[in-house]
Amino acid sequence: MTDPTDSLESRPIRAVAFDLDGTLVDSVADLMHAANLLLAELGRPPVDLPSVRSFVGDGAPKLVERVLAATGGVPAAEETARCLARFLSIYEADPSAHSQLYPGVADTLDALAAAGLRLGVCTNKPMAATLRLLDDLGIAGRFAAVVGGDSYPTRKPSPEPVLGLLDRLGVQPNEAVFVGDNEHDVAAARAAGVARVLVVPYGYARVPLDTLPHDGILDGFADLAKRLSR
C-alpha cells in the first residue's frame, strides 16, 4: 500500500500551521486547575470542566474574564489585571500536568515533517506557557516556528499572527494549510489567505463546525496526511 505522505513533496503546499489548544493538545483540565486555584484564593466557588471548555479560545485575558464573570462578577480593571497575572503565574508554572496530545498527533507530525513540510504553531495562549507545554509533551522539536497570543498586537481571529507565523516559516499564504478546531482559527486563516483550512472534529468550537467556511473536517488528526496528499 502506498504511504499517503509519499506524494506530499509534489504538492504546492510547503507548510502546515496548527492551532494548539483543542487541535494538538487537550489542555482544558490544566486551565481549569489554574482557574480554580485562583478562585480559591479569591474566596469564590470553583468552575467545572464543561464551563472552562466553553471559555477557551480567545486567550488568557478572556478566559480569566469569563471565569470571573461566572463566579461573582468581573471586578474593576486593576483587580482583573491582577487576577490575570496571578492566573498566568499559576498556569505557567505547570501547564501540562493534566494535558495530553490528541490521538495521532505525534506520529502525524513526524510523517509530515518527513515529507518535507515545514510545521508551525499559531495559538492565542501566551508564549511562555506554549513553549513549556510543547516541550513537556515532547513535540517542541517538530516545529520550525511558534507564535503565541502575546507575539503580536492582535490575536486570532485577526490574521496578523497567522501571517507572522508564515513569515517565520518562510512561506507564502498560498503555500500553507491551517489546521484548527474553532471559528477563530477558520476566520484568521481565511483572512490570511492560506491555501486550505481544515478543522479537527473535536476541540473547543462554540459554533457547529459545518457552519464555518473551512475546506473540510478531518476524521481525526491521523487523517491529515491523507487529506494533504489528495
Side-chain angles (χ1 to χ4, degrees):
M1 180 179 292
T2 301
D3 187 309
T5 64
D6 285 348
S7 63
L8 284 177
E9 292 181 354
S10 66
R11 306 289 293 180
I13 298 301
R14 297 177 53 212
V16 186
F18 299 92
D19 171 54
L20 181 60
D21 297 295
T23 300
L24 300 175
V25 180
D26 186 359
S27 56
V28 71
D30 279 304
L31 293 168
M32 181 186 71
H33 177 71
N36 283 337
L37 287 178
L38 170 66
L39 291 170
E41 292 178 1
L42 297 174
R44 295 191 180 200
V47 286
D48 60 18
L49 204 62
S51 296
V52 176
R53 190 178 299 274
S54 73
F55 297 158
V56 174
D58 299 295
K62 276 293 184 183
L63 172 62
V64 170
E65 180 182 308
R66 289 165 180 157
V67 165
L68 294 172
T71 57
V74 180
E78 184 175 338
E79 177 62 12
T80 297
R82 190 195 70 79
C83 290
L84 172 61
R86 179 58 181 147
F87 170 82
L88 289 174
S89 70
I90 295 169
Y91 181 66
E92 290 173 355
D94 189 5
S96 61
H98 308 288
S99 295
Q100 58 186 347
L101 298 177
Y102 286 106
V105 167
D107 289 345
T108 301
L109 292 177
D110 284 344
L112 298 179
L117 291 168
R118 294 179 64 77
L119 308 180
V121 171
C122 179
T123 176
N124 283 345
K125 186 189 293 293
M127 273 295 284
T130 296
L131 296 176
R132 170 73 185 274
L133 183 60
L134 292 173
D135 189 55
D136 286 353
L137 295 179
I139 59 171
R142 269 82 161 189
F143 301 106
V146 177
V147 300
D150 48 2
S151 296
Y152 296 97
T154 59
R155 304 181 180 92
K156 296 178 294 183
S158 165
E160 182 178 29
V162 178
L163 291 171
L165 175 68
L166 298 181
D167 183 63
R168 296 184 191 200
L169 290 173
V171 301
Q172 297 299 312
N174 61 4
E175 299 174 309
V177 170
F178 195 98
V179 181
D181 72 298
N182 66 35
E183 58 276 14
H184 291 338
D185 295 324
V186 174
R190 278 286 178 241
V194 302
R196 296 172 68 188
V197 183
L198 300 173
V199 293
V200 295
Y202 47 81
Y204 310 144
R206 288 187 288 273
V207 300
L209 293 178
D210 58 9
T211 67
L212 300 175
H214 52 65
D215 296 305
I217 302 173
L218 300 175
D219 294 333
F221 199 87
D223 183 39
L224 179 58
K226 182 192 295 185
R227 294 292 185 103
L228 293 179
S229 71
R230 292 176 182 171

